[in-house]
Amino acid sequence: SVASAAEVEILTPRPGSTIVGRRPETHLVLRRPHNAGTQVWVEANGRRIDPTVVKEGLNHNYFHFRLPLKPDRNSFTIRPVGQKLDLGYRPLRAAVNPSTFGKEVYLFHQNGQLPESCILCHDLQKTSPIEPVGLRAQESCASCHRNLLESSTWQHSTSVNKQCLACHQQFVQPFRIGFPTAKTEDLCIGCHTGKREWRSKQHIHGPMVAGGCTLCHNPHGEKNRYQLWADGAVDLCVACHSDKENLVSDRPLRFVHGIIHGPGCVACHDPHASDHEFILYNSINELCVSCHHGYAGLRRGHPVGGHPVAGPTERRRPGRKLTCTSCHDPHGSPYREMLFAESLGGHVCARCHR
């Protein structure tokens, strides 16, 4: 962005563009002639943001900012000149697919060459071997991307060791870094070889089919265990399974399965793949009696004498087997015992025994 004498020059990102990323932030790099002063800051919603790095060049001063973003549009003012900067932000959860971004999306490192102003301080070709295994580290990447790890409690080993090119493609131009070199899940199981068996399971979690591991896991690092972008017990699940949000909302259902407020959804569901329906760790009844031990081995006699607790068919929901969930909602219900209807007046029994 060419600047007048009173303005600062915006080197990156392009004003009006949209940032696509896993973290709600972006880097802003400004340049200003020496004789124009060294006091530059950014204002957003009345909040002052000072530069994280100020670097003196031959004829200019360079100012690096880390700007927080929110989904949709973001407006910033560069002070003291009053210059406006508008940016969009789209959270990235799925695998990177550049063809879906559109012309408004700003793609870092996608130009034919590194801008001359960046070469003064950054050398993307710089690598060094890591002892004792001899793998090469891309030290220069960390000069800008330290933030990928700084706020992370659980960190991916490739990021910690700065082995960025293990996943990111390096094009013919040595300073042009691209998107992952293969399908996301292929990259992941290239190292996590024990996870390849998931592909042979009868039931595979939708995100693994649709977008790969990065729909749930941040490939660089996160605050949550297993590098999940939200708490893995419940919050991550209800982000997609919004019909279950009433289990953990401010006004939840009257009766909620206690396990949800303990280990959460993954106490019963395998988040990746399983040979059991609904991606459960075991068949429904076997899973239930693993906690409700008093019913283990029971074939008849619940809720009344002679009543079966398992069978090949269920009358209320054709195509389903008779299991504990034929009467009980395994997540939660407005009715006692987490029944699907009020037990008094025969409302539960009448759905099968018309």
Side-chain angles (χ1 to χ4, degrees):
S1 176
V2 179
S4 65
E7 295 179 320
V8 296
E9 184 179 357
I10 300 174
L11 298 182
T12 183
R14 184 179 63 249
S17 59
T18 296
I19 307 300
V20 178
R22 301 185 188 281
R23 294 185 181 274
E25 64 181 19
T26 190
H27 294 279
L28 170 66
V29 183
L30 306 177
R31 181 168 69 176
R32 199 179 194 193
H34 286 161
N35 58 8
T38 59
Q39 289 297 314
V40 178
W41 68 94
V42 174
E43 190 176 276
N45 299 320
R47 172 193 170 194
R48 173 172 171 150
I49 304 173
D50 291 311
T52 55
V53 176
V54 178
K55 182 77 173 179
E56 183 176 341
L58 295 176
N59 301 308
H60 297 82
N61 291 316
Y62 295 85
F63 305 86
H64 288 233
F65 295 85
R66 188 179 296 173
L67 301 183
L69 299 172
K70 63 181 186 298
D72 202 16
R73 306 309 301 175
N74 299 263
S75 296
F76 304 95
T77 304
I78 302 171
R79 299 293 187 186
V81 296
Q83 197 170 337
K84 300 293 183 182
L85 172 65
D86 292 324
L87 296 173
Y89 171 61
R90 282 165 44 191
L92 175 67
R93 298 298 179 204
V96 178
N97 184 0
S99 64
T100 64
F101 284 168
K103 294 181 179 179
E104 82 283 1
V105 173
Y106 188 80
L107 303 177
F108 290 86
H109 304 312
Q110 291 300 292
N111 293 324
Q113 62 181 12
L114 191 69
E116 182 181 352
S117 55
C118 301
I119 294 175
L120 295 175
C121 301
H122 301 277
D123 179 10
L124 294 187
Q125 302 180 61
K126 182 181 178 183
T127 60
S128 62
I130 298 178
E131 299 297 341
V133 292
L135 297 177
R136 304 196 72 80
Q138 289 72 56
E139 299 286 349
S140 55
C141 298
S143 62
C144 289
H145 297 292
R146 290 192 306 270
N147 60 308
L148 293 176
L149 291 175
E150 284 177 350
S151 59
S152 300
T153 305
W154 302 87
Q155 302 170 348
H156 196 193
S157 60
T158 51
S159 297
V160 173
N161 292 309
K162 305 182 183 68
Q163 296 166 356
C164 309
L165 297 183
C167 299
H168 293 277
Q169 183 175 359
Q170 187 175 27
F171 290 92
V172 175
Q173 301 94 333
F175 36 68
R176 187 180 176 201
I177 307 300
F179 296 103
T181 57
K183 290 180 62 177
T184 306
E185 61 268 31
D186 291 337
L187 278 174
C188 297
I189 64 175
C191 292
H192 301 275
T193 54
K195 312 305 181 187
R196 290 176 180 172
E197 63 178 18
W198 289 339
R199 289 180 167 177
S200 62
K201 299 290 185 180
Q202 293 185 40
H203 303 279
I204 302 175
H205 196 191
M208 292 190 64
V209 178
C213 311
T214 58
L215 274 173
C216 298
H217 301 275
N218 189 322
H220 302 108
E222 267 295 351
K223 295 179 179 180
N224 301 290
R225 193 177 185 187
Y226 307 119
Q227 297 161 227
L228 298 170
W229 58 265
D231 177 66
V234 174
D235 293 344
L236 186 71
C237 302
V238 299
C240 291
H241 300 275
S242 55
D243 59 313
K244 300 296 186 292
E245 194 171 2
N246 58 357
L247 300 172
V248 292
S249 65
D250 294 335
R251 301 182 64 184
L253 290 174
R254 187 180 177 191
F255 299 99
V256 177
H257 196 181
I259 207 165
I260 289 178
H261 296 293
C265 310
V266 293
C268 299
H269 300 276
D270 189 310
H272 302 107
S274 170
D275 284 327
H276 300 283
E277 197 174 12
F278 308 116
I279 327 180
L280 295 169
Y281 290 112
N282 208 334
S283 61
I284 293 175
N285 281 15
E286 290 299 320
L287 195 62
C288 294
V289 300
S290 65
C291 289
H292 301 276
H293 305 296
Y295 297 97
L298 185 68
R299 295 292 177 264
R300 289 181 175 273
H302 179 76
V304 294
H307 194 284
V309 296
T313 59
E314 177 195 307
R315 292 182 181 179
R316 184 169 71 92
R317 298 175 298 183
R320 295 282 297 272
K321 295 180 179 179
L322 179 66
T323 65
C324 304
T325 61
S326 299
C327 299
H328 302 276
D329 190 311
H331 301 106
S333 167
Y335 309 105
R336 289 184 180 277
E337 315 297 341
M338 296 194 303
L339 294 167
F340 68 83
E342 177 60 61
S343 59
L344 297 177
H347 293 288
V348 174
C349 301
R351 292 295 296 272
C352 292
H353 305 281
R354 299 185 183 278

